[in-house]
């Protein structure tokens, strides 16, 4: 299989956890992307310090202010990314930003259901809409007609926590808002894959494993998967080869429990 070769990638929630791990992974590639757009909702804040340090050493990292629960912020980010790309398209959009609220079913609230759904499901929907013109441009500008990450792709970070058939960790955390948001994200990914196929854009939902990040640790048990292991390349199926994740959620199933 050919090595993944992309000119541009955008990762949301890139200042810590899996998002930052992905940025680091792209930097380590034999041929790193010319543009790594790192979406971050508070670029000047303490939590963005590591990303800022990385960007100061790597001019191909462009930090983009991006709050995925805010349509105006998404629109501004798309315009900024478009300006940087100067006429070329965006190869990969990774909808990674996400939140979890660890409520029990009986204690779940309208506020938490809404906030988690807005961030984890509506965010990726609006991101897909806003960046569609740039993704289309990348697909049109690439040779060949198949679907691949080297051409144009939307990668949604889902979770086995949203799986209806293999729902594990219920005893540790019920978290209905999170589970529902990820189940809905899986359906959104299916809708995107059906709608955007004709534009040459691959759309998939991935489960990254139960990973050692702030979110992964919030369950109170040590997560089994290291950040490096999660973001390192894996041979996955269904046309999504060389996506930098070990586990593919849709349409095949994954193997470990997780948030
Ligand atoms: P973390 O909590 O470690 O990091 C979450 C990132 O998302 C942070 O950068 C955070 O920014 C950002 N973020 C949250 N809300 C918003 C928002 N509204 N707008 C912009 N950015 C936002 O999570 P992980 O890295 O562990 O998770 C990344 C993704 O992987 C999530 O979608 C998660 O559901 C999924 N996942 C993770 C698993 C795990 O075990 N870790 C398992 C299965 C799925 P800030 O610093 O500003 O808060």
């Amino acid at each position: 299989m050919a090595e993944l070769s992309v000119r541009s990638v955008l990762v949301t929630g890139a200042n810590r956890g899996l998002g930052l791990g992905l940025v680091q992974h792209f930097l380590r590639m034999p041929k790193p992307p010319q543009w790594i757009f790192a979406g971050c909702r508070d670029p000047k804040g303490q939590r963005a310090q590591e990303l800022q340090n990385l960007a100061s050493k790597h001019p191909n990292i462009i930090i983009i202010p991006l709050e995925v629960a805010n349509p105006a912020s998404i629109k501004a980010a798309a315009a900024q990314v478009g300006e940087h790309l100067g006429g070329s398209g965006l190869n990969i959009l990774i909808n990674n930003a996400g939140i979890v609220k660890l409520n029990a079913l009986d204690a779940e609230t309208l506020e938490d259901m809404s906030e988690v759904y807005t961030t984890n499901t509506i965010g990726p929907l609006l991101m897909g809409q806003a960046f569609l013109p740039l993704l289309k441009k990348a697909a049109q500008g690439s040779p060949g007609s198949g679907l691949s990450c080297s051409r144009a792709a939307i990668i949604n970070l889902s979770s086995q926590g949203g799986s209806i058939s293999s729902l594990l960790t219920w005893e540790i955390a019920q978290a209905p808002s999170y589970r529902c948001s990820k189940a809905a994200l899986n359906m959104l990914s299916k809708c995107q894959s059906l709608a955007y196929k004709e534009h040459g854009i691959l759309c998939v939902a991935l489960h990254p494993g139960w990973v050692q990040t702030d979110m992964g640790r919030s369950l109170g048990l040590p997560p089994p998967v290291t950040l490096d292991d999660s973001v390192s390349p894996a041979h996955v199926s269904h046309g999504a080869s060389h996506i930098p994740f070990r586990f593919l959620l849709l349409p095949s199933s994954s193997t470990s429990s997780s948030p």
Side-chain angles (χ1 to χ4, degrees), residues 209-227:
W210 180 4
V211 190
Q212 293 161 11
T213 64
D214 293 339
M215 184 186 289
R217 288 188 200 97
S218 68
L219 290 195
L221 290 176
V225 183
T226 67
L227 190 53

Side-chain angles (χ1 to χ4, degrees), residues 12-20 39-42 47-48 66-70 95-100 118-120 156-161 178 182 185 206-217 223 225 227 245 257-259:
T12 68
N15 58 303
R16 61 189 171 96
L18 281 159
L20 184 62
C40 172
R41 60 178 162 177
D42 184 15
R47 282 201 301 237
L66 177 55
E67 159 61 71
V68 302
N70 179 341
N95 284 314
N96 162 78
I99 54 171
V100 67
T118 302
T119 303
N120 293 2
N156 293 323
L157 261 286
S158 188
S159 169
Q160 193 178 355
Y178 183 77
K182 294 298 186 181
L185 180 62
L206 295 183
H207 168 62
W210 180 4
V211 190
Q212 293 161 11
T213 64
D214 293 339
M215 184 186 289
R217 288 188 200 97
V225 183
L227 190 53
F245 277 110
S257 60
S258 80

Side-chain angles (χ1 to χ4, degrees), residues 33-50:
Q34 185 181 345
W35 302 106
I36 301 173
F37 297 105
C40 172
R41 60 178 162 177
D42 184 15
K44 296 203 168 82
Q46 191 54 41
R47 282 201 301 237
Q49 202 51 60
E50 209 177 331

Side-chain angles (χ1 to χ4, degrees), residues 2 11 13 25 103 123 131 133 163 165 182 185 203 211 216 226 249:
V11 183
H25 166 78
N103 299 336
F131 285 84
S163 167
S165 60
K182 294 298 186 181
L185 180 62
C203 301
V211 190
T226 67
L249 185 69

Side-chain angles (χ1 to χ4, degrees), residues 63-233:
I63 299 178
I64 303 287
L66 177 55
E67 159 61 71
V68 302
N70 179 341
S73 171
I74 291 176
K75 217 173 147 191
Q80 206 181 329
V81 169
E83 255 175 54
H84 275 283
L85 288 170
S88 64
L90 177 71
N91 295 111
I92 305 183
L93 163 61
I94 302 184
N95 284 314
N96 162 78
I99 54 171
V100 67
K101 303 271 181 184
L102 297 174
N103 299 336
L105 182 60
D106 289 349
E108 194 52 272
T109 64
L110 186 152
E111 290 75 21
D112 284 354
M113 285 294 286
S114 303
E115 188 186 341
V116 174
Y117 188 77
T118 302
T119 303
N120 293 2
T121 316
I122 301 177
L125 166 78
L126 299 181
M127 286 293 297
Q129 291 172 340
F131 285 84
L132 186 61
L134 290 174
L135 290 161
K136 274 186 188 173
K137 209 177 269 183
Q140 283 157 7
S142 301
S145 57
L147 298 176
S148 83
C149 285
S150 297
R151 199 171 171 214
I154 297 176
I155 313 294
N156 293 323
L157 261 286
S158 188
S159 169
Q160 193 178 355
S163 167
I164 290 170
S165 60
S166 62
L167 185 155
L168 300 171
T169 67
W170 175 256
E171 292 73 21
I172 305 170
Q174 295 187 347
S177 54
Y178 183 77
R179 292 181 190 281
C180 292
S181 74
K182 294 298 186 181
L185 180 62
N186 292 346
M187 180 49 78
L188 173 69
S189 307
K190 182 70 183 176
C191 296
Q192 288 173 326
S193 74
L194 292 172
Y196 299 160
K197 190 175 160 184
E198 64 175 287
H199 303 307
I201 303 167
L202 172 75
C203 301
V204 291
L206 295 183
H207 168 62
W210 180 4
V211 190
Q212 293 161 11
T213 64
D214 293 339
M215 184 186 289
R217 288 188 200 97
S218 68
L219 290 195
L221 290 176
V225 183
T226 67
L227 190 53
D228 274 354
D229 270 353
S230 177
V231 301
S232 60

